[in-house]
């Protein structure tokens, strides 16, 4: 086991800072720079935000630094699984996307207010699920997101002085 027992878990505020920094980096690099950076450092149990703020992801079972594959599941597959049902529902409100006539002459169709509002509210639900995941770290004093629970990971503060 690595230094898992010597490094404290990252606080909820530290974790939210990491999430906010990752979002800012995603937006400022148009996702591309963040993805490339992430693919390079996932093997060290890091995301760009965690690397900058000196946090590290470890397996809650073994205490070992999360592997590249573990991070890919944690950072990519689990969030997709959490929002996929909403994405599918959102497509249900977009029936014109699959109609070749729509693409030939979009003005021919009357895009209904119902479809617009339905798509908007389902998008809000998807955002709500993502926010619920981010703010779950305040529940129960465990400092773990839903993603952490499913991936069986913990986030450590590697800049903190070890507890005695």
């Amino acid at each position: 086991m690595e230094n898992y027992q010597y490094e404290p878990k990252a606080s909820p505020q530290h974790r939210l800072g990491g999430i906010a920094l990752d979002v800012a980096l995603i937006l400022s690099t148009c996702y591309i720079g963040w993805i490339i950076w992430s693919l390079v450092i996932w093997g060290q149990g890091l995301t760009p935000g965690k690397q900058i703020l000196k946090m590290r992801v470890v397996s809650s079972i073994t205490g070992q630094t999360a592997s590249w594959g573990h991070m890919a599941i944690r950072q990519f597959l689990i969030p997709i699984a959490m929002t996929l049902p909403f994405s599918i529902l959102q497509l249900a409100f977009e029936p014109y996307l699959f109609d070749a006539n729509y693409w030939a002459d979009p003005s021919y169709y009357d895009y209904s207010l119902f479809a617009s509002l339905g798509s908007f509210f389902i998008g809000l639900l998807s955002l709500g699920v993502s926010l619920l995941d981010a703010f779950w770290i305040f529940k129960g004093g465990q400092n773990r997101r839903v993603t952490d629970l499913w991936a069986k990971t913990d986030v450590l503060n590697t800049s903190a002085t070890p507890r005695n």
Side-chain angles (χ1 to χ4, degrees), residues 67-84:
S67 67
W68 193 95
H70 202 163
M71 288 295 289
I73 290 168
R74 180 184 188 276
Q75 294 297 126
F76 182 69
L77 291 180
I78 291 174
I80 285 177
M82 289 170 65
T83 57
L84 186 62

Side-chain angles (χ1 to χ4, degrees), residues 3-65:
N3 294 336
Y4 181 57
Q5 67 270 20
Y6 301 114
E7 294 172 348
K9 285 187 180 181
S11 70
Q13 296 82 3
H14 199 181
R15 302 254 346 245
L16 279 179
I19 292 168
L21 184 55
D22 274 329
V23 168
L25 291 169
I26 286 168
L27 294 174
S28 66
T29 64
C30 298
Y31 227 109
I32 295 169
W34 185 88
I35 288 175
I36 292 168
W37 188 355
S38 292
L39 293 175
V40 171
I41 63 174
W42 276 355
Q44 301 165 36
L46 301 170
T47 65
K50 285 177 181 51
Q51 185 177 34
I52 292 169
L53 294 180
K54 301 193 183 305
M55 292 184 278
R56 178 172 54 102
V57 179
V58 297
S59 167
S60 60
I61 296 170
T62 66
Q64 299 292 317
T65 298

